Amino acid sequence: MPEYQLHVAIALAVALTTSLGVFALSRQDEKKNALPTFVDGEEGLARDPFDVTTPEDFIDGMPIDEERFWSKMRLRKLAVTAILAIILAIQAVSLGWSIAEDDRTNIAVYSLHVAFALYTLVLAARAINQTYSQHSSSIIHLSALTFFATVLLTITALLPSQPLPVVSVFQSSVTPLALWYTVYALYAICMAIIVTTPRGPPLHFPSSKIYSDKTLMQVTSNYEDNVCGMPSVSVLDYLLFSYTTKVVMLGYTSESLEIGDLPIVTADMRATATFARMRAAIRRWKLKIGSWRPRPGSGIELAYRLLRVNAPAMTAVIVLAAISAVLFYVPAYFLKRVVQYLEIDNAREFRGWGFLFCVALFASHATTQILTGQMWSLSTTTMQVRLRLQLNSILFAKTLVRKDVASSTGTAPGADAPAAPANGAAPPAAEATPEADKKSEKKDDEDDFSSKAQIMTLMTTDVDRISEFAWHLFTIVDAPIEIVIGTLFLYSLLGVSCFFGLAVTCLFLPMNHFAGKVVVGAQENLMKARDERVALMNEILGGIRMLKFMAWERSFEARVLKVRERELKYQRLNYIIEVLWNAIWNGSPILVTLVSFWHYTVVRKQVLTPSVAFTSISVFNEMKFALNALPETLINMLQTAVSLRRIEKYLHGAEVAPVPPLSSQPRQIALQSATITWPQDRTRAGSVAPSTAPTPRHKFVLVDLTLDFPVGELSLICGKLGSGKSLLLLALLGEADLLSGQMVCPRTPPDTIASFAGVVVPQEEWVVPGVCAYVPQSAWLRNASIKGTNKSEHYRHRKPPRYGC
């Protein structure tokens, strides 16, 4: 019988214990990670109007031909159970044989083998009648256990019978060799059946629930199993990404490929379910360590919530990164063994060992590539897409309830003395110093998101940077482990000479601190310049007709070029820093190798053998990737921190007061001694109650308004330009700040229109009491003729609006 059986038995026992621990932890996680159905405090008393999820949004799809599929799976699992029962019987016979021979070592070995076989048999028998998630979990565990057993037995079976001159691994054994090879063959057959067993039936999801009618009309390929195969394919197909074959063949055979032709993603990758989990996380999880809480707008709490929501995927990436970091040096080890064999066995009398090391070199490369492929898939596909969905969805939700806050700095810098406030409002009691004004203006410019261009920058550039950090995450775990293992490996090859080479890298470390400061400063300046440029371009495009009439093209062109020149300046600075940083780290591995070999051969007078030289070069090349990835990851971390801070500042902005249900709102529209001003973000001043916050300097204010609009009648608000008509209407909508007095006006809940989805409403019931609409001062034109537009407007507005501007 091949040797190392005690080691194999101990490894199988460890695998059994790990499987039991994973089962126990997965049951606890199912209870902890359940989506909360309630909200603590006053928020739980009313339903979230932005919750548009339905039960269908949390399922991957409907199974196709379910009974036939599960009947096939039962046959497969019965076959696996029978094979594992035979293995258990053979292991029991081997254990009895060892007891009869009084071989204590083999008794311990086969006792562990019997325990492992019994556990896999119970797991397979229990899985016979399981379906869906339980079936998938059992298949994954059985695949891992049988694969692990097959690999270990394969390794011991491939060991040559003739020992290598430098190692001796064989001892005699009394157990019949036929029984051992029978168990090995049965484990291999069992593994082949399990790893090719699908984890679930093919799924179908109605495309009409996701795509519009226009998109469905352009679909050229119709197939019933239209859901991505990730949750249902076998373990082997999942590891080899075989579920993408359908998309590849579809792109090869179809003349045109539309978005509706692609498979529908699973529930955990759809925007509605992702948004629901992220919104629940924002309400549920608050970062607090003792009495310490992060400062609002620092980005720490947003990062904490993203970590909590994506904890399973991030944990998987971290574990895979740690395993991959170790496996990256396994090929180098077997390369050393191959070259060592060529040095020792000049007569080629032990060819079996040479072939074994070559097979191990190939297998280690293949295993490393499969695991790193899964790690990259989780990082770039799963986590990156989820982060983008989570951030964009909460930003959209925040935009819908955020007050249209203009800059709270008063007049623009350099403007003349402001005019007196409207309606005789008193000016501020004290004037601030010019230095304080400049500091306040600078801070407000950084935190200001008053233009659509700045908000769009958050939803594009900042969100992309945070989501791209997903594929830099594993570098944080992978690179340090690679550097430590590579250093230990090099020490075993070169001795203290490796430290002389690695010490060269320490010369470049002080540059990180300085370059980090420059990167953060340049990045923030670049983002501000980009926001200013986009805002200016939107202003030009919005008023292009007036700009042409007044012949202002050259002056606005000069303004755009000035902003663009500043943006390119900071962009150029970013590129220079990255190029210099990467150049330094790309050259460092070469310098490290030369210094190490010089000290090893010249100073220490050692012979640089092929096995040491080639293996050292391989290790240095592997360490180069870890060393090169660190600066890029550090730059991305700094950029991500800036984007997290910007997004969290936006999420902490002032919001419109929650809208109660229509049934609890009065129908009266009235103001009593109301003082109204344009909305401001008072959260920065630290005031909790808006009514107690001081009115900023030079702000337009409507003072002491007392009005009572007749219900059911048409009311007109007239006045000259800048007299406050729009401000009054925005106050009735809850979009302005009420500094004092009282205001009563029905407001429309955000889900009012969605509540009429699929309901045919008669024309006489189009006007719903209490539902308000605001028509802004911008044209709404359909892509049709004037006659068609007017006809559409006639039917859209059969009843006059409640109030207008």
Side-chain angles (χ1 to χ4, degrees):
M1 183 179 66
E3 199 49 49
Y4 290 125
Q5 293 305 304
L6 180 59
H7 303 78
V8 171
I10 294 173
L12 293 179
V14 172
L16 183 153
T17 306
T18 304
S19 176
L20 285 172
V22 171
F23 266 123
L25 291 176
S26 62
R27 291 183 179 179
Q28 293 179 1
D29 290 341
E30 288 178 1
K31 298 179 180 179
K32 291 182 180 180
N33 295 332
L35 191 67
T37 56
F38 65 92
V39 181
D40 295 334
E42 297 179 356
E43 295 181 359
L45 300 178
R47 190 180 66 85
D48 185 4
F50 292 99
D51 184 10
V52 296
T53 56
T54 61
E56 294 178 343
D57 294 325
F58 295 97
I59 61 173
D60 295 330
M62 302 302 295
I64 301 173
D65 201 359
E66 185 177 8
E67 294 183 0
R68 182 181 178 185
F69 173 82
W70 291 121
S71 63
K72 289 183 178 180
M73 293 305 103
R74 289 189 189 94
L75 293 177
R76 277 178 168 264
K77 288 182 281 189
L78 281 172
V80 170
T81 304
I83 295 174
L84 291 175
I86 296 174
I87 293 175
L88 178 61
I90 294 175
Q91 299 287 29
V93 171
S94 300
L95 177 60
W97 192 292
S98 301
I99 294 173
E101 296 290 338
D102 196 19
D103 189 343
R104 295 185 178 181
T105 301
N106 282 339
I107 291 174
V109 168
Y110 285 108
S111 297
L112 295 176
H113 275 289
V114 168
F116 181 82
L118 178 62
Y119 176 75
T120 54
L121 175 62
V122 172
L123 194 60
R126 181 171 170 266
I128 292 176
N129 293 320
Q130 289 179 343
T131 57
Y132 298 113
S133 61
Q134 293 180 347
H135 164 81
S136 177
S137 178
S138 297
I139 290 297
I140 292 173
H141 280 262
L142 285 171
S143 299
L145 293 172
T146 55
F147 173 78
F148 192 59
T150 304
V151 168
L152 292 178
L153 296 178
T154 301
I155 292 173
T156 55
L158 290 177
L159 289 174
S161 58
Q162 192 175 11
L164 199 63
V166 293
V167 291
S168 180
V169 298
F170 287 90
Q171 300 175 1
S172 60
S173 175
V174 297
T175 307
L177 193 61
L179 293 180
W180 187 92
Y181 277 108
T182 302
V183 170
Y184 167 58
L186 290 176
Y187 268 127
I189 295 172
C190 186
M191 181 199 70
I193 296 175
I194 293 175
V195 297
T196 57
T197 300
R199 293 179 294 126
L203 303 175
H204 172 79
F205 194 86
S207 301
S208 58
K209 300 291 185 181
I210 297 179
Y211 301 119
S212 63
D213 294 336
K214 182 179 179 181
T215 302
L216 294 176
M217 291 175 61
Q218 299 174 349
V219 173
T220 58
S221 302
N222 292 313
Y223 41 90
E224 195 173 5
D225 53 336
N226 62 347
V227 178
C228 176
M230 288 181 64
S232 58
V233 296
S234 63
V235 174
L236 183 63
D237 289 338
Y238 185 86
L239 292 176
L240 300 180
F241 301 100
S242 298
Y243 53 85
T244 62
T245 304
K246 180 188 294 185
V247 181
V248 175
M249 294 304 297
L250 188 64
Y252 177 75
T253 57
S254 300
E255 296 182 359
S256 63
L257 194 63
E258 302 294 337
I259 187 173
D261 296 322
L262 300 177
I264 297 174
V265 295
T266 53
D268 57 351
M269 299 290 287
R270 297 175 197 154
T272 49
T274 303
F275 170 66
R277 292 187 175 92
M278 187 63 191
R279 195 167 178 84
I282 292 176
R283 295 177 172 181
R284 182 181 180 184
W285 291 318
K286 309 290 183 182
L287 180 58
K288 186 176 181 181
I289 303 176
S291 59
W292 176 85
R293 292 199 63 180
R295 179 175 56 86
S298 62
I300 298 176
E301 193 162 30
L302 177 60
Y304 169 73
R305 288 164 175 165
L306 290 174
L307 288 174
R308 289 291 301 268
V309 173
N310 300 284
M314 288 187 178
T315 303
V317 170
I318 291 173
V319 170
L320 287 175
I323 296 174
S324 299
V326 178
L327 292 179
F328 280 141
Y329 293 102
V330 175
Y333 171 78
F334 285 112
L335 174 63
K336 176 188 175 184
R337 301 295 297 186
V338 169
V339 180
Q340 257 186 354
Y341 164 76
L342 296 176
E343 293 174 352
I344 295 173
D345 189 14
N346 295 323
R348 302 296 182 266
E349 298 178 357
F350 307 95
R351 294 179 181 270
W353 285 100
F355 286 117
L356 175 65
F357 292 143
C358 291
V359 171
L361 181 63
F362 167 78
S364 60
H365 269 297
T367 304
T368 304
Q369 293 302 318
I370 289 175
L371 289 181
T372 53
Q374 293 298 319
M375 180 178 64
W376 276 95
S377 175
L378 278 173
S379 300
T380 59
T381 303
T382 304
M383 279 186 55
Q384 189 170 355
V385 173
R386 283 183 186 172
L387 286 172
R388 184 177 285 113
L389 286 175
Q390 289 161 359
L391 292 172
N392 272 329
S393 59
I394 62 173
L395 283 173
F396 278 118
K398 176 66 178 182
T399 304
L400 292 176
V401 299
R402 177 179 177 269
K403 282 188 177 181
D404 189 10
V405 179
S407 179
S408 59
T409 57
T411 56
D416 296 333
N423 295 337
E431 292 291 337
T433 61
E435 292 78 6
D437 286 343
K438 290 181 180 179
K439 292 181 180 179
S440 177
E441 288 172 2
K442 181 178 180 181
K443 185 179 186 302
D444 289 332
D445 287 341
E446 293 177 357
D447 299 347
D448 185 25
F449 300 102
S450 57
S451 68
K452 294 180 180 178
Q454 292 166 329
I455 299 174
M456 287 303 299
T457 302
L458 290 177
M459 296 180 178
T460 54
T461 305
D462 291 296
V463 169
D464 286 344
R465 280 180 179 162
I466 296 174
S467 62
E468 286 174 1
F469 180 72
W471 56 275
H472 287 279
L473 173 65
F474 66 85
T475 306
I476 301 175
V477 179
D478 174 87
I481 297 177
E482 278 197 58
I483 292 173
V484 171
I485 295 178
T487 302
L488 295 176
F489 200 170
L490 287 172
Y491 180 76
S492 67
L493 295 171
L494 301 174
V496 295
S497 299
C498 71
F499 295 113
F500 284 88
L502 293 176
V504 179
T505 60
C506 298
L507 301 177
F508 305 112
L509 295 179
M511 300 180 184
N512 293 349
H513 182 68
F514 173 74
K517 286 185 176 180
V518 177
V519 167
V520 171
Q523 192 63 37
E524 290 183 346
N525 291 327
L526 175 63
M527 296 303 298
K528 287 192 292 183
R530 185 169 295 168
D531 290 343
E532 186 178 354
R533 189 253 304 168
V534 174
L536 182 58
M537 288 303 302
N538 286 338
E539 179 184 353
I540 292 174
L541 295 176
I544 189 66
R545 184 177 301 175
M546 180 62 67
L547 190 146
K548 289 287 187 181
F549 284 161
M550 304 300 291
W552 288 342
E553 295 96 331
R554 298 307 176 193
S555 62
F556 273 88
E557 181 183 3
R559 290 177 58 186
V560 172
L561 292 178
K562 183 178 179 181
V563 176
R564 180 60 175 165
E565 184 179 355
R566 186 164 68 252
E567 180 185 1
L568 291 177
K569 171 188 173 183
Y570 293 117
Q571 185 70 67
R572 180 173 176 270
L573 180 60
N574 272 300
Y575 286 151
I576 290 175
I577 295 171
E578 290 188 21
V579 168
L580 291 177
W581 208 345
N582 288 327
I584 292 172
W585 284 92
N586 278 326
S588 61
I590 301 175
L591 187 60
V592 166
T593 305
L594 293 177
V595 172
S596 298
F597 284 175
W598 171 81
H599 186 272
Y600 186 77
T601 56
V602 177
V603 178
R604 296 177 57 197
K605 308 297 184 181
Q606 298 291 324
V607 178
L608 190 63
T609 61
S611 59
V612 173
F614 286 110
T615 307
S616 299
I617 293 174
S618 176
V619 174
F620 276 126
N621 287 334
E622 194 61 52
M623 289 183 67
K624 181 182 71 174
F625 293 102
L627 294 174
N628 288 342
L630 283 177
E632 184 180 358
T633 301
L634 183 57
I635 291 176
N636 188 270
M637 286 178 62
L638 298 174
Q639 294 176 347
T640 301
V642 173
S643 296
L644 282 170
R645 188 162 59 246
R646 284 165 53 86
I647 291 179
E648 187 170 309
K649 286 179 181 178
Y650 180 77
L651 294 177
H652 279 81
E655 295 183 1
V656 178
V659 182
L662 281 176
S663 59
S664 61
Q665 297 188 50
R667 298 293 181 262
Q668 183 183 5
I669 305 174
L671 295 92
Q672 180 68 36
S673 301
T675 300
I676 304 167
T677 187
W678 291 102
Q680 304 141 36
D681 190 355
R682 304 181 187 277
T683 57
R684 300 177 196 163
S687 174
V688 178
S691 60
T692 62
T695 303
R697 293 181 300 137
H698 321 317
K699 287 294 183 181
F700 187 89
V701 181
L702 293 176
V703 180
D704 197 19
L705 290 179
T706 301
L707 298 171
D708 190 358
F709 292 92
V711 179
E713 302 293 337
L714 178 63
S715 300
L716 298 178
I717 303 173
C718 303
K720 63 180 182 179
L721 181 65
S723 60
K725 302 184 298 297
S726 298
L727 177 58
L728 176 58
L729 295 182
L730 289 177
L732 294 175
L733 292 173
E735 296 282 349
D737 285 350
L738 181 65
L739 300 180
S740 63
Q742 295 181 348
M743 181 177 61
V744 178
C745 179
R747 296 170 57 198
T748 305
D751 58 345
T752 300
I753 297 179
S755 63
F756 289 97
V759 179
V760 179
V761 181
Q763 292 187 4
E764 59 272 10
E765 298 180 7
W766 275 16
V767 177
V768 181
V771 175
C772 304
Y774 175 67
V775 182
Q777 296 175 351
S778 59
W780 186 84
L781 298 176
R782 298 178 69 247
N783 187 16
S785 62
I786 297 177
K787 180 180 178 181
T789 302
N790 290 336
K791 185 177 180 181
S792 174
E793 290 299 303
H794 172 72
Y795 284 108
R796 281 168 54 88
H797 301 291
R798 294 291 296 274
K799 300 286 186 179
R802 174 76 60 186
Y803 39 79
C805 180

